[in-house]
Amino acid sequence: MTSEKRRENIEAILRKSNEPITATALAKEFSVSRQVIVGDVALMRAAGLRISATPRGYIFDLDKENQICFTVACQHDNENMANELYAIVDNGGTVFNVTVEHPIYGQISGELRISSRYEADMFLEKIRSNKAQPLMRLTGGIHLHKIKCNSENEKKRIIETLKKERIMFE
């Protein structure tokens, strides 16, 4: 199979999937190395395809119509990460990304796409198992989240819960 054909097949797989797919899984599917897939996806993104890399794998970026998108500023320590994520997903939101303002590099963002407690728990476990530091550690716990939800009522509940939990930075 040519690399061009492989990229066409990767695009088709990602377009059909509702869940992220890891580079490792795609590598097995096409009998190539993970690095080949990473390169393929980089080329596909450079060509304009909206493919996002999340902690759980690649996903084709298909925004739902009429979804509300808003940003909140938060501040907390590592111990309250679960509370923050649960406050958002339990009230109907998706934690789309996290952004910090670094004094040298400017804005640094990471896509999360966390929509459930299960996904939040997987993300937190990945941080623990990799002994990784979350981006908020670069800025004393202050960070932004882009959140997506389906209604103004959900947005209101998310904001109220974040304030109640003393996570929202005001």
Side-chain angles (χ1 to χ4, degrees):
M1 174 182 301
T2 67
S3 57
E4 185 175 317
K5 184 66 175 166
R6 184 178 58 247
R7 287 190 289 274
E8 288 173 9
N9 289 337
I10 291 170
E11 179 182 352
I13 289 169
L14 292 175
R15 283 186 183 274
K16 290 178 189 172
S17 179
N18 293 325
E19 298 293 323
I21 302 173
T22 66
T24 301
L26 290 168
K28 286 180 185 174
E29 173 77 21
F30 296 104
S31 301
V32 296
S33 71
R34 180 186 176 285
Q35 197 56 42
V36 167
I37 298 298
V38 170
D40 283 342
V41 172
L43 290 171
M44 294 163 69
R45 291 169 86 181
L49 290 178
R50 292 176 40 182
I51 300 170
S52 294
T54 74
R56 296 181 322 279
Y58 295 116
I59 189 162
F60 207 85
D61 194 10
L62 298 173
D63 286 335
K64 296 178 186 173
E65 287 184 33
N66 303 321
Q67 237 185 358
I68 295 167
C69 183
F70 63 102
T71 301
V72 295
C74 298
Q75 183 177 25
H76 58 79
D77 56 18
N78 284 10
E79 301 302 315
N80 284 311
M81 274 194 343
N83 292 343
E84 174 192 54
L85 297 173
Y86 296 161
I88 297 166
V89 301
D90 288 352
N91 285 292
T94 295
V95 184
F96 190 77
N97 72 8
V98 61
T99 301
V100 296
E101 187 71 35
H102 192 273
I104 305 297
Y105 301 111
Q107 282 191 345
I108 302 173
S109 294
E111 289 199 34
L112 301 177
R113 294 181 184 242
I114 297 171
S115 300
S116 67
R117 275 187 179 244
Y118 173 75
E119 291 173 353
D121 290 341
M122 284 179 32
F123 173 73
L124 295 168
E125 177 54 33
K126 195 168 193 176
I127 288 174
R128 278 190 292 275
S129 66
N130 286 290
K131 297 182 175 126
Q133 295 297 319
L135 285 178
M136 68 175 189
R137 292 291 299 262
L138 297 173
T139 56
I142 299 172
H143 56 285
L144 303 174
H145 283 300
K146 182 194 278 186
I147 299 171
K148 293 186 177 187
C149 63
N150 295 316
S151 71
E152 285 294 331
N153 192 36
E154 288 177 351
K155 176 182 175 181
K156 182 180 173 186
R157 283 195 324 260
I158 291 165
I159 291 170
E160 286 174 357
T161 305
L162 290 171
K163 285 180 179 179
K164 180 181 165 197
E165 294 289 325
R166 298 176 189 225
I167 291 171
M168 198 148 163
F169 184 71
E170 297 183 274

